[in-house]
Amino acid sequence: MALVKFTGKLIKTDVTAIKLLENHLLCGIGAFLHVYSIDETASSLLHKLRVFNGVRIYGIQLSESGNKVLLHAENQIKVYSMDLKSLEFKEIACVESSDWVLRAKWIDSDENIVAISMHNVIEYYTKDLELKKSIVCEERCILYCANLSYNRWEDLVVLSGTVFSEVLIWKPSFDEGAELCKVLRRLTGHNGVLFSIHHVPGMELICTTSDDRSVILWQFDGELQDVLKTNEEIRLKKRMYGHKARVFGCQLLTNHVVSIGEDGFLIVWDLNGNLLRKIEAHQNGRIWSVDCSEERNMIVTGGGDSGVIVFPIKPLMMIDHLEFQEKATPKHLVLLENNDIVLITDKGCVYQMNSESDWCRLMWTFEEFESYSLLEVSSCRKMIALAGFKGVIRVITLNESNGKLELTAYHRGIEKDRTYSLHWLNCKHILTCGIDGLLYLWRIENGALILLHISQLPKIKERWSTAACLCGKGIAVGDRKGNLHYYDLHDLNPMQTFKRTHNHLGITNLHYDSTSGILTTLGRNSRVCKFKLDSHTRQLELLTSDKLPFTWLCSMVQEKRIITAFSGNDFVLWDYKTRRVVLQLGCGGGHRSWDFNPKHSKFEYVYIKNKTINVIKSEWSCINSRDIIKGFHVNEINSLRCLKRDGCIYSLSGGEDTTLRIAKYDGQNFENIDVLKSHLSSIRCLNLYQLEDESKCFLFSAGGRGQIILWQLDFNKENICNQLFSYYEADSNLSEVRVMDLCSAKINDEVLLFAACSDGKIKIYSMQNDELKLAKTLEYKLKCILKVTLLTYEDETIVVSMATDGYLVFWDLKTGYKFGEIKAHISGINSFAFRKMNEDIFLFLTGGDDNALTMNLFKIVRNENELGLETISDYSNDGTHVAQVSGVYLDEEYFMATSLDQKLTIFKYDILNGTILVRYAGVYNSTISDAKGIEVFRSEKSLEIVLYGLGIEIINCNLSV
Amino acid sequence: MGKKSKDKRDIYYRKAKEQGWRARSAFKLIQLADKFNLFDGVTKAVDLCAAPGSWSQVLSRKLYMCEEIDAEGIVTIASNGIAPPPEMWNRDAKIIAVDLQPMSPLPGVIQLQGDITQFSTAQNIITKFNGDQADLVVCDGAPDVSGLHDMDVYVQSQLLLGALHIACNVLRRGGNFVAKMFRAKQNHLLIYQLKTIFQEVSFHKPTSSRNSSTEAFVVALNYRPPKGFNPTLLTNYLGIGKDNFDGLTGINKFIIPFIVSGDLSGYDADATYPLYQDDEPEYEYRYTEPVQPPLRVGYLDNSPDPEDLPMELPELTPQHIKEFNLPYKRHRDYVIEQFKMLMQDHSYDVAIASDVPQVKVEKVLPAINNEDFNRVQLSITLPEYTIEGDGILISEEIPHPQRCCEQMKPTFLKLYDYTDDAPEDLKRVCQYYEQLNKYFNEATGEENNILNVNANTLEQYKNDISTFYLPCSCGKCE
């Protein structure tokens, strides 16, 4: 019957199943099985096949022999033969169970298969999926998870987790003659639905996770199946808390327990239930699936953000503790380029030490640095500067040939001229801050410190600097009260001051990147601020202010995209690109002397605690996570617009996670280009406005809190998308208006933006100098307007609005009055598409909340200067979709619709003498849930469809079948 | 965002709180009932998956307390403007609410804690009706949404099946059945089959249900099972198994009408309404606390907030507070939260403004109608302070106990950890409890020592907290 042929090309959605093999990784994404090659450093997609029709894979099990794979989805089970060398996959058997399959497994040396369903029924199949028998458990309540332990039917133990917080342990072979199988043990301890259970034969532990945010380890003595034969107790060994939301999964390993949660955390515990590592993954979205290999030190997770990530189970680190033997107390320490540590004590003694060869040598004793000293290392880590109470500044240099320290420069200073802070600007210049906020700029030359310039901090309490860096031709200085100053080298006072850039705890670090001209400031208020230096005006301008999950930020390592910070007692390395914690080290907090030296492949962290010098060394590759599939939107994509350029599809998408994302699809790969986070609330709609220059267009995004952002897209630039303007009515006493839809047009040489709002108004903005100004408002009823679009008739512009009352309402833009309406649906209109048939006849297709698909053919007429509407005919279909129709497409021959029932339907239509004739042409069952719409590109013989909702699927539709 | 944000977004949410409904879903039943006259002649009703009880509340107020609830979905107290007094209540009306969770009591509602998938629950219902059968069975149950759409839909269909199972066993011939369902790929098959045991079946979407929501309600009228139908075997009879209706389209497929109930000129669940409406001159917006917070939340029972780990959350009882280990982050919020809960247990309503350091205590005397609430108001000012990082920052100048670099006067005390050096400062933490203690007594007039912190407990604190660290604000001295 189908007149067309659909082919799924690409899918990005929840990764619900994952299996790590020796050199390969199998991922179940929607109905598709993806095969990746994976080793310690790289991974690539080898093969992809559509296993099921419209249902998603929930489990992947390999046969013992490794040449067959068992897959299950909802109530379906399939067996495929698998050859990973030739990448040949062939379906051998399939079966539909009467109930949802929670888990399936090969047993009896690949001869048989067992599956457990949601109502606690075991189905016992042959290897070709012929049902041998069903064993029903006496407890038939709904299960959310189950575990099948042991590999022989006689031994098989079922652990099922109920919605009533219990774990039921039973054995299908216990009494096969009985009508219902007895429950042998019940484990009670959880306080909510059980989400996962794991047990490995040979281990004396069971791990369970639940809705109650906890992970529980249960312990028994001996082998589980033997325990079931006796009265031996299965004890609650430890209840573990660490997740902030529901815990969806767990895996028990020989030395570790891994749990994954709704909060996007992956936690590694030891077998006693102590938290070892907490990893933030999948952009804090949900994590659905996990698989581990202890031998390869690998954890792979699949998330709700469509991503697949691999982590080491244990970060490999060298930890050393050097007891400081001398009587004095170590005060400050720094790391040198050759990994030596330089340390100063409260007695003014300077030591050089090395953690590897374990030697420690007293180099000098400086009386002037007794009880108070500053010790700072230059960025090249070959020079050290010392300062103290008495105005003395000393510079020490590392002799690279023999590894010795040499005194190279000295400034005598005046008695009582205390140095409050000292900053290296580069390897030749230092900046010191003295009494009254006086800043001295020094150059180190021929064993002397030459004073180049003096400037002064504005008057504040605690008047000294806390960070400084060279910034263009000036110096940026951060003070103790969180103000940022910009000095040129001519004046005493700053050229520019940004008050309260950070809070009263001061600015901790400044970093200037000369290629981009961007100054980054870090503070102890969780914030990272970025400023742009205009090289002509020599003025700084605030670009962004980002909030991190830690308060005390320390430094930035640009090459590694890392920000270092302190969180409670931990030193944290945070990847600012993926927004993920890379490493968390307990060190006792930030109030101590510490140094962190990031190198190309390694890094080293040293700190003083209780007179001990602690050294931690590792390689980046031993701690870092790696994306196998890059994550996309965390929640629903509410709106997506596509552009075709150079044979590639560029997708611009905005969603519930408040991000605007740009990605590129070249027919093979889907590559993320940028993630922009400017919206305060969810993005509901996007609109593109093409500019005369073909490589440029405007993008409008809008959504919650009435915010509209104007972006410019320029495909010739490296950063394609740039924010121009944000419109936001900050009147918080009014109710919160959501912008539901946007459209734009050039009318009378002016770009106008029409916004459909949830308060029943259509707001019209005019664009002037890249800014939006409210020009006019069309008031409808107090009904949420869901869609808005424009028609042109003669030289008039007609605004069409669609709201939750199901009416298509027509407005004359010139007068601002509505002149006609058509009742298209009984409730909200969620999607539309239209065609202008000729000057005055339009065909309008709408999809509604009432599951219906409606077409209206109408004519715009003019009666004595007033516009009017005449309907010609209509067509309605409410039998195809069983949930609201959320996206439609219309061209000369075909129309399409997508709905929350996960069907994508296509129809062929014709208009004969004003009558609409429709013929059903085909359906594609997608696995994207919460579909929000489609974007379609038509070529002569095919349609390229981008379907979006909770994920994205690209589908090809061949019309010439 | 703050507390008002949901009020600002959703008119039904706001109205439900203002009118004393336990959840906005009450309006859905009101609208469905209005469309189908579901309550006509009903004296015995069953509410399945009842908690938190908004549907039971509708049944209670309508059937037992005989209130008039108007067609627009907005409640008028009674036709003559006064709620019927208790002597006019219909004592014959019986409402049974079934749920796994307990819920707070409602007039005329008998609670049955049970599982709707068990046959014994049906038997218990009949017993409670003294052998009679029910006129109406309603079910607004939904699974705890996992985020996996297909799984949620499946579990929901199982719940619906459970509800239907109960309904077939307890409904009288001619009785009605209303249940929530998700509109999704397979669920329709189940509903088609309902046609065989009910005379009229349709899908409804009340206007109080949001446009984006996939929920709909199946309304099955006039229960008339075929001859020989054994309701205990229902699960075999119905099912969403292998049948596939995909091949059928258009008129070949029997279509169950989709209807929108609720007056379309009434409130729109998706629209943003101004907080101050022109047509309601006497209406003034004011934040309303939730009507009935959940009695039991699984994860709150025993799990500490991971942010505060390793702090043990003590149970705050009116007598005393046993232990209060660490004055960590959100410590203040926690104390206030506990205070609030304690007050609520004593029928006090506590509002704490986030920006003003003030606690407002209102005594709400239990009353049947929300109109009759007796309020006693009291305002208390909290000491001013802010929270910073992991500690509490008290914005006062406190001399530094340790010798520090010259000129440096730390302007705050940061409670990071604790040592013996500064027992004075610990008292400040305790002051907080003492203060709250005082408020409680002031507010209630009762001599309850909610927070028993004194010098003796200081010793205990010392043991619990290992090291004290007072960072000097100069950032230089260790």
Side-chain angles (χ1 to χ4, degrees):
Chain A
M1 191 170 96
L3 306 173
V4 299
K5 188 173 180 287
F6 285 101
T7 322
K9 303 291 271 183
L10 175 118
I11 187 158
K12 281 184 95 67
T13 186
D14 299 311
V15 182
T16 44
I18 210 154
K19 191 85 201 165
L20 186 59
L21 311 179
E22 206 166 324
N23 298 307
H24 295 86
L25 180 74
L26 305 180
C27 307
I29 307 173
F32 291 83
L33 180 72
H34 291 65
V35 184
Y36 282 83
S37 69
I38 180 169
D39 63 24
E40 268 55 50
T41 52
S43 57
S44 64
L45 178 66
L46 301 176
H47 191 59
K48 183 168 63 184
L49 71 152
R50 190 166 189 246
V51 179
F52 294 102
N53 182 15
V55 288
R56 49 185 171 195
I57 302 172
Y58 276 101
I60 305 169
Q61 292 295 327
L62 231 64
S63 64
E64 222 171 87
S65 59
N67 58 10
K68 278 197 246 172
V69 61
L70 176 68
L71 300 142
H72 64 87
E74 298 197 5
N75 62 338
Q76 301 180 34
I77 309 175
K78 284 191 178 185
V79 175
Y80 271 74
S81 69
M82 173 175 84
D83 184 343
L84 288 171
K85 278 209 183 87
S86 63
L87 293 169
E88 262 174 50
F89 285 78
K90 225 172 108 189
E91 186 178 322
I92 297 176
C94 88
V95 73
E96 265 188 51
S97 163
S98 59
D99 194 10
W100 185 289
V101 177
L102 288 172
R103 197 169 268 257
K105 182 177 176 168
W106 297 91
I107 55 166
D108 302 334
S109 310
D110 298 348
E111 283 304 309
N112 296 304
I113 290 166
V114 279
I116 172 113
S117 73
M118 207 180 254
H119 286 83
N120 221 358
V121 177
I122 279 279
E123 294 193 323
Y124 187 25
Y125 297 98
T126 64
K127 62 178 180 208
D128 300 316
L129 289 171
E130 272 160 31
L131 186 64
K132 286 181 155 176
K133 60 179 116 184
S134 295
I135 308 281
V136 182
C137 178
E138 61 173 339
E139 193 73 73
R140 288 196 65 188
C141 73
I142 294 174
L143 311 179
Y144 266 68
C145 63
N147 184 71
L148 301 168
S149 212
Y150 299 102
N151 293 322
R152 301 201 63 77
W153 172 253
E154 301 78 47
D155 304 337
L156 192 77
V157 173
V158 182
L159 298 109
S160 36
T162 73
V163 289
F164 306 120
S165 326
E166 269 186 329
V167 180
L168 310 172
I169 306 180
W170 56 291
K171 223 176 147 168
S173 62
F174 182 72
D175 180 7
E176 290 185 45
E179 194 190 337
L180 296 173
C181 190
K182 242 182 89 180
V183 173
L184 300 176
R185 287 300 159 85
R186 286 166 189 267
L187 307 183
T188 51
H190 276 297
N191 203 352
V193 177
L194 269 284
F195 279 119
S196 73
I197 302 178
H198 198 225
H199 167 256
V200 183
M203 282 183 82
E204 297 178 339
L205 287 171
I206 295 170
C207 183
T208 58
T209 69
S210 154
D211 182 61
D212 66 8
R213 278 77 171 147
S214 72
V215 180
I216 293 182
L217 278 176
W218 310 83
Q219 194 169 36
F220 47 87
D221 301 317
E223 196 58 57
L224 180 62
Q225 44 165 319
D226 300 330
V227 169
L228 296 178
K229 288 176 195 151
T230 64
N231 287 328
E232 190 103 32
E233 204 193 349
I234 299 177
R235 309 176 292 277
L236 194 156
K237 177 187 164 94
K238 175 102 183 204
R239 187 193 299 271
M240 293 114 82
Y241 286 109
H243 287 281
K244 288 184 196 170
R246 295 178 288 184
V247 192
F248 282 147
C250 66
Q251 201 162 18
L252 207 52
L253 307 171
T254 322
N255 300 311
H256 298 97
V257 179
V258 173
S259 65
I260 54 171
E262 190 182 19
D263 53 359
F265 278 105
L266 168 86
I267 301 186
V268 183
W269 317 80
D270 68 13
L271 293 186
N272 292 317
N274 299 313
L275 193 149
L276 298 179
R277 263 190 105 187
K278 193 166 169 177
I279 303 165
E280 230 178 334
H282 301 286
Q283 308 169 68
N284 288 14
R286 301 172 172 109
I287 309 181
W288 294 123
S289 49
V290 63
D291 200 16
C292 311
S293 159
E294 235 166 4
E295 300 101 72
R296 299 171 68 195
N297 193 24
M298 259 185 195
I299 307 175
V300 192
T301 59
D305 68 343
S306 326
V308 173
I309 310 176
V310 57
F311 305 90
I313 297 177
K314 252 193 332 195
L316 298 173
M317 285 182 300
M318 289 245 315
I319 301 173
D320 253 329
H321 304 285
L322 304 175
E323 295 274 338
F324 191 66
Q325 305 293 351
E326 317 296 320
K327 283 215 175 94
T329 311
K331 294 293 276 185
H332 299 289
L333 83 181
V334 292
L335 275 167
L336 293 181
E337 196 248 350
N338 64 353
N339 294 340
D340 281 1
I341 297 166
V342 176
L343 179 141
I344 187 161
T345 69
D346 57 346
K347 301 272 185 280
C349 305
V350 176
Y351 292 85
Q352 184 180 7
M353 53 206 296
N354 188 292
S355 62
E356 272 160 50
S357 44
D358 215 7
W359 59 265
C360 177
R361 189 182 298 150
L362 173 66
M363 302 300 291
W364 299 279
T365 303
F366 299 117
E367 267 172 40
E368 64 268 28
F369 299 142
E370 222 171 81
S371 81
Y372 174 82
S373 60
L374 297 171
L375 174 70
E376 301 288 344
V377 68
S378 66
S379 57
C380 63
R381 295 193 179 268
K382 290 172 194 163
M383 294 170 92
I384 301 161
L386 284 157
F389 253 131
K390 297 177 179 170
V392 176
I393 302 169
R394 286 184 186 276
V395 177
I396 299 170
T397 309
L398 175 74
N399 185 329
E400 279 178 90
S401 53
N402 59 12
K404 278 190 180 156
L405 293 180
E406 288 164 6
L407 280 171
T408 43
Y410 172 68
H411 170 72
R412 199 193 154 99
I414 327 157
E415 192 74 2
K416 287 195 179 163
D417 188 7
R418 175 183 166 181
T419 308
Y420 282 82
S421 57
L422 188 155
H423 318 280
W424 283 93
L425 300 176
N426 55 24
C427 297
K428 278 232 166 76
H429 295 88
I430 54 177
L431 187 79
T432 61
C433 178
I435 288 171
D436 294 332
L438 286 169
L439 300 167
Y440 304 93
L441 175 65
W442 308 87
R443 184 207 290 277
I444 303 159
E445 216 170 83
N446 304 327
L449 282 158
I450 300 163
L451 183 64
L452 294 183
H453 184 68
I454 298 177
S455 38
Q456 192 172 27
L457 287 172
K459 209 165 184 181
I460 44 163
K461 251 187 182 180
E462 298 166 306
R463 197 174 178 183
W464 66 80
S465 62
T466 52
C469 76
L470 286 178
C471 181
K473 285 179 179 156
I475 299 171
V477 179
D479 72 24
R480 175 61 186 80
K481 286 288 166 203
N483 306 314
L484 175 72
H485 310 284
Y486 187 56
Y487 292 90
D488 69 1
L489 300 176
H490 303 291
D491 216 338
L492 184 70
N493 294 315
M495 269 173 34
Q496 215 182 347
T497 291
F498 293 87
K499 283 209 164 155
R500 288 258 159 188
T501 303
H502 292 277
N503 69 353
H504 60 279
L505 295 171
I507 291 177
T508 51
N509 191 270
L510 294 169
H511 182 278
Y512 180 71
D513 178 42
S514 53
T515 37
S516 61
I518 285 175
L519 175 73
T520 309
T521 69
L522 306 180
R524 277 178 62 183
N525 59 342
S526 312
R527 294 212 168 265
V528 177
C529 299
K530 282 194 182 345
F531 293 85
K532 170 100 186 158
L533 178 69
D534 189 313
S535 51
H536 296 293
T537 60
R538 301 185 62 196
Q539 292 279 313
L540 286 167
E541 190 194 345
L542 180 66
L543 290 180
T544 59
S545 173
D546 191 7
K547 199 169 176 197
L548 266 51
F550 321 101
T551 36
W552 190 334
L553 311 180
C554 302
S555 65
M556 186 167 127
V557 185
Q558 200 176 15
E559 307 81 59
K560 298 286 174 195
R561 313 178 316 204
I562 292 271
I563 283 175
T564 64
F566 284 101
S567 170
N569 284 335
D570 293 343
F571 177 69
V572 182
L573 298 182
W574 194 72
D575 186 328
Y576 58 79
K577 191 105 185 235
T578 58
R579 302 185 78 86
R580 218 181 264 165
V581 173
V582 174
L583 189 66
Q584 205 156 348
L585 298 166
C587 69
H591 293 287
R592 61 196 66 252
S593 180
W594 58 276
D595 197 11
F596 176 70
N597 181 14
K599 292 189 180 177
H600 181 66
S601 61
K602 296 175 189 169
F603 65 85
E604 196 168 347
Y605 175 63
V606 291
Y607 63 94
I608 301 174
K609 192 183 181 184
N610 301 334
K611 283 187 72 176
T612 308
I613 291 102
N614 300 274
V615 185
I616 296 170
K617 288 182 195 171
S618 184
E619 291 186 19
W620 290 107
S621 60
C622 296
I623 61 156
N624 248 337
S625 61
R626 192 148 46 87
D627 286 328
I628 292 176
I629 302 174
K630 286 219 165 64
F632 198 47
H633 284 280
V634 180
N635 290 315
E636 290 101 322
I637 301 169
N638 284 328
S639 184
L640 183 143
R641 292 285 168 268
C642 285
L643 278 169
K644 232 176 180 169
R645 284 187 63 85
D646 317 321
C648 294
I649 294 179
Y650 283 85
S651 105
L652 307 149
S653 52
E656 285 297 310
D657 62 2
T658 75
T659 59
L660 174 72
R661 294 177 193 239
I662 306 169
K664 181 175 149 185
Y665 176 65
D666 61 5
Q668 288 293 327
N669 299 313
F670 189 86
E671 184 195 338
N672 292 338
I673 297 176
D674 211 349
V675 181
L676 300 148
K677 219 176 152 151
S678 288
H679 272 274
L680 297 163
S681 181
S682 63
I683 300 178
R684 291 187 169 265
C685 46
L686 298 173
N687 181 261
L688 278 169
Y689 179 85
Q690 183 64 49
L691 292 171
E692 274 167 31
D693 177 348
E694 271 195 10
S695 60
K696 283 183 190 165
C697 48
F698 285 135
L699 172 69
F700 301 96
S701 62
R705 304 234 234 158
Q707 192 181 20
I708 303 175
I709 296 183
L710 165 63
W711 312 81
Q712 186 168 47
L713 300 181
D714 187 341
F715 289 90
N716 293 330
K717 277 194 184 161
E718 198 184 344
N719 278 345
I720 293 175
C721 190
N722 289 294
Q723 182 176 335
L724 297 180
F725 183 68
S726 167
Y727 182 90
Y728 169 48
E729 280 171 67
D731 192 347
S732 62
N733 271 332
L734 290 173
S735 17
E736 275 175 14
V737 176
R738 284 156 290 149
V739 179
M740 307 300 286
D741 194 26
L742 291 172
C743 66
S744 57
K746 194 170 214 172
I747 297 164
N748 302 332
D749 282 331
E750 197 177 25
V751 177
L752 293 181
L753 179 72
F754 297 77
C757 300
S758 65
D759 58 356
K761 291 173 182 154
I762 301 159
K763 291 182 182 152
I764 305 169
Y765 300 89
S766 69
M767 210 166 96
Q768 292 151 10
N769 307 324
D770 297 345
E771 284 189 14
L772 293 171
K773 290 230 164 60
L774 183 63
K776 196 171 181 179
T777 303
L778 303 179
E779 293 207 24
Y780 190 53
K781 306 170 195 163
L782 248 174
K783 290 284 167 195
C784 177
I785 300 181
L786 298 168
K787 293 285 164 195
V788 64
T789 190
L790 303 173
L791 307 178
T792 50
Y793 166 70
E794 294 172 359
D795 51 356
E796 306 278 358
T797 301
I798 296 162
V799 181
V800 186
S801 69
M802 290 152 261
T804 48
D805 59 0
Y807 281 95
L808 285 168
V809 180
F810 297 81
W811 308 76
D812 183 346
L813 180 64
K814 206 178 273 171
T815 61
Y817 291 111
K818 52 183 184 203
F819 65 86
E821 57 184 31
I822 300 171
K823 176 92 178 168
H825 294 270
I826 55 174
S827 56
I829 301 177
N830 290 324
S831 50
F832 72 92
F834 70 89
R835 249 183 87 201
K836 192 171 183 177
M837 309 295 284
N838 57 38
E839 283 102 71
D840 52 359
I841 296 178
F842 294 85
L843 178 65
F844 226 90
L845 170 68
T846 48
D849 176 57
D850 56 357
N851 310 351
L853 202 53
T854 302
M855 273 180 143
N856 280 289
L857 188 66
F858 57 84
K859 190 174 177 178
I860 305 276
V861 291
R862 192 186 284 278
N863 311 318
E864 298 166 9
N865 268 335
E866 274 190 21
L867 293 174
L869 196 67
E870 273 176 20
T871 46
I872 300 169
S873 67
D874 57 18
Y875 158 87
S876 184
N877 170 337
D878 57 3
T880 304
H881 289 284
V882 297
Q884 52 265 65
V885 177
S886 51
V888 291
Y889 162 79
L890 175 73
D891 66 24
E892 296 78 24
E893 269 180 289
Y894 292 95
F895 69 87
M896 287 173 94
T898 186
S899 151
L900 267 69
D901 63 7
Q902 302 187 11
K903 282 182 172 36
L904 174 68
T905 49
I906 182 161
F907 299 84
K908 199 164 179 166
Y909 77 98
D910 224 334
I911 295 172
L912 267 182
N913 305 326
T915 311
I916 307 165
L917 303 169
V918 175
R919 195 172 156 202
Y920 174 77
V923 62
Y924 178 80
N925 292 310
S926 170
T927 38
I928 300 292
S929 52
D930 282 320
K932 296 282 184 185
I934 44 175
E935 280 276 283
V936 181
F937 292 99
R938 169 86 202 251
S939 64
E940 201 189 332
K941 291 270 185 271
S942 72
L943 292 163
E944 203 162 15
I945 304 137
V946 181
L947 194 161
Y948 58 92
L950 225 130
I952 175 172
E953 185 164 8
I954 301 177
I955 305 147
N956 184 279
C957 177
N958 187 346
L959 302 173
S960 56
V961 174
Chain B
M1 299 289 279
K3 273 187 162 176
K4 282 181 193 164
S5 63
K6 217 166 177 186
D7 281 21
K8 288 180 186 177
R9 284 199 293 265
D10 185 338
I11 184 84
Y12 283 103
Y13 180 88
R14 196 159 90 210
K15 290 280 170 201
K17 287 204 299 181
E18 285 167 4
Q19 294 173 13
W21 297 110
R22 289 182 174 183
R24 70 191 289 288
S25 59
F27 292 108
K28 297 175 191 167
L29 183 59
I30 293 168
Q31 289 175 347
L32 288 168
D34 184 61
K35 181 95 185 174
F36 294 95
N37 303 320
L38 287 176
F39 296 150
D40 287 3
V42 173
T43 54
K44 288 175 187 60
V46 180
D47 182 9
L48 302 171
C49 303
S54 62
W55 278 28
S56 291
Q57 204 185 1
V58 174
L59 295 171
S60 161
R61 283 166 73 162
K62 185 83 196 179
L63 303 176
Y64 186 80
M65 290 153 74
C66 308
E67 286 180 22
E68 297 278 328
I69 295 171
D70 91 356
E72 222 199 1
I74 305 303
V75 178
T76 58
I77 293 306
S79 46
N80 57 358
I82 328 158
E87 55 272 20
M88 285 180 63
W89 290 357
N90 181 4
R91 306 285 171 180
D92 293 336
K94 253 187 190 171
I95 300 144
I96 297 178
V98 185
D99 205 295
L100 288 168
Q101 313 273 333
M103 61 183 210
S104 36
L106 286 164
V109 177
I110 303 164
Q111 274 190 60
L112 206 66
Q113 249 178 291
D115 174 6
I116 64 160
T117 58
Q118 301 296 324
F119 180 63
S120 58
T121 305
Q123 289 172 314
N124 283 340
I125 293 171
I126 299 290
T127 317
K128 288 271 190 303
F129 281 143
N130 301 327
D132 285 346
Q133 287 179 310
D135 305 308
L136 174 68
V137 176
V138 296
C139 174
D140 190 27
D144 262 354
V145 174
S146 69
L148 289 170
H149 191 76
D150 41 7
M151 190 138 164
D152 293 335
V153 166
Y154 189 83
V155 175
Q156 167 68 26
S157 72
Q158 298 304 308
L159 271 185
L160 178 58
L161 212 59
L164 194 59
H165 189 250
I166 298 277
C168 290
N169 283 295
V170 306
L171 267 184
R172 67 167 167 83
R173 228 181 149 77
N176 299 332
F177 174 66
V178 177
K180 193 214 294 279
M181 60 167 291
F182 288 154
R183 287 183 277 166
K185 47 186 176 183
Q186 282 169 348
N187 261 0
H188 257 58
L189 308 179
L190 178 69
I191 307 308
Y192 293 137
Q193 297 170 64
L194 275 182
K195 270 298 266 187
T196 59
I197 46 175
F198 286 92
Q199 191 185 21
E200 232 178 278
V201 181
S202 52
F203 292 131
H204 282 267
K205 177 147 174 163
T207 50
S208 52
S209 179
R210 287 183 199 109
N211 178 65
S212 53
S213 166
T214 52
E215 85 175 357
F217 293 85
V218 53
V219 179
L221 303 176
N222 201 356
Y223 179 56
R224 44 164 66 177
K227 259 195 183 150
F229 175 72
N230 180 356
T232 53
L233 297 174
L234 184 84
T235 30
N236 300 335
Y237 188 77
L238 298 171
I240 62 160
K242 296 167 191 175
D243 313 76
N244 194 342
F245 281 51
D246 280 2
L248 305 176
T249 52
I251 51 162
N252 290 328
K253 194 151 89 176
F254 179 74
I255 291 170
I256 301 218
F258 180 87
I259 306 168
V260 173
S261 60
D263 189 346
L264 271 177
S265 64
Y267 287 116
D268 176 1
D270 294 280
T272 306
Y273 287 82
L275 291 178
Y276 302 91
Q277 271 165 270
D278 303 338
D279 55 340
E280 294 177 69
E282 292 180 20
Y283 176 82
E284 192 186 319
Y285 173 78
R286 156 181 114 67
Y287 176 75
T288 320
E289 288 287 328
V291 175
Q292 181 61 55
L295 288 185
R296 193 171 72 90
V297 182
Y299 60 87
L300 283 184
D301 276 357
N302 46 17
S303 79
D305 190 326
E307 287 283 290
D308 288 341
L309 282 173
M311 169 169 158
E312 297 257 314
L313 291 198
E315 190 77 22
L316 197 69
T317 62
Q319 282 71 39
H320 68 292
I321 161 177
K322 285 178 241 156
E323 274 175 48
F324 228 104
N325 284 359
L326 284 173
Y328 256 55
K329 188 160 142 193
R330 284 197 271 132
H331 169 71
R332 175 241 190 194
D333 292 354
Y334 176 73
V335 175
I336 289 177
E337 204 50 43
Q338 289 279 322
F339 176 66
K340 215 161 121 181
M341 272 159 64
L342 178 73
M343 297 300 276
Q344 274 164 357
D345 287 347
H346 287 70
S347 305
Y348 289 90
D349 204 27
V350 183
I352 294 163
S354 53
D355 44 351
V356 194
Q358 219 173 47
V359 179
K360 257 193 192 159
V361 181
E362 276 185 355
K363 179 143 188 164
V364 182
L365 297 177
I368 290 139
N369 277 314
N370 50 328
E371 293 281 298
D372 302 336
F373 280 161
N374 291 318
R375 293 176 189 278
V376 183
Q377 234 190 53
L378 232 140
S379 285
I380 297 159
T381 310
L382 290 175
E384 219 171 318
Y385 69 92
T386 53
I387 296 174
E388 169 62 41
D390 296 328
I392 294 181
L393 199 75
I394 299 169
S395 56
E396 286 173 54
E397 292 231 342
I398 301 158
H400 200 293
Q402 288 169 339
R403 232 192 74 78
C404 180
C405 46
E406 287 169 11
Q407 306 163 324
M408 298 311 120
K409 275 194 203 113
T411 51
F412 61 89
L413 162 73
K414 188 165 182 184
L415 284 160
Y416 224 78
D417 306 287
Y418 194 77
T419 58
D420 305 340
D421 295 346
E424 276 304 304
D425 302 303
L426 181 67
K427 284 186 184 145
R428 290 191 179 277
V429 193
C430 308
Q431 270 173 15
Y432 209 74
Y433 300 124
E434 280 162 9
Q435 200 71 28
L436 284 176
N437 215 357
K438 219 175 92 201
Y439 302 156
F440 182 83
N441 297 343
E442 259 172 42
T444 60
E446 293 168 40
E447 277 291 316
N448 267 333
N449 230 7
I450 48 163
L451 304 148
N452 189 9
V453 178
N454 53 40
N456 294 336
T457 38
L458 289 184
E459 282 308 310
Q460 202 182 326
Y461 276 102
K462 271 187 222 165
N463 297 335
D464 289 335
I465 307 160
S466 54
T467 52
F468 189 66
Y469 191 79
L470 273 177
C472 166
S473 53
C474 75
K476 302 244 154 27
C477 27
E478 263 282 313

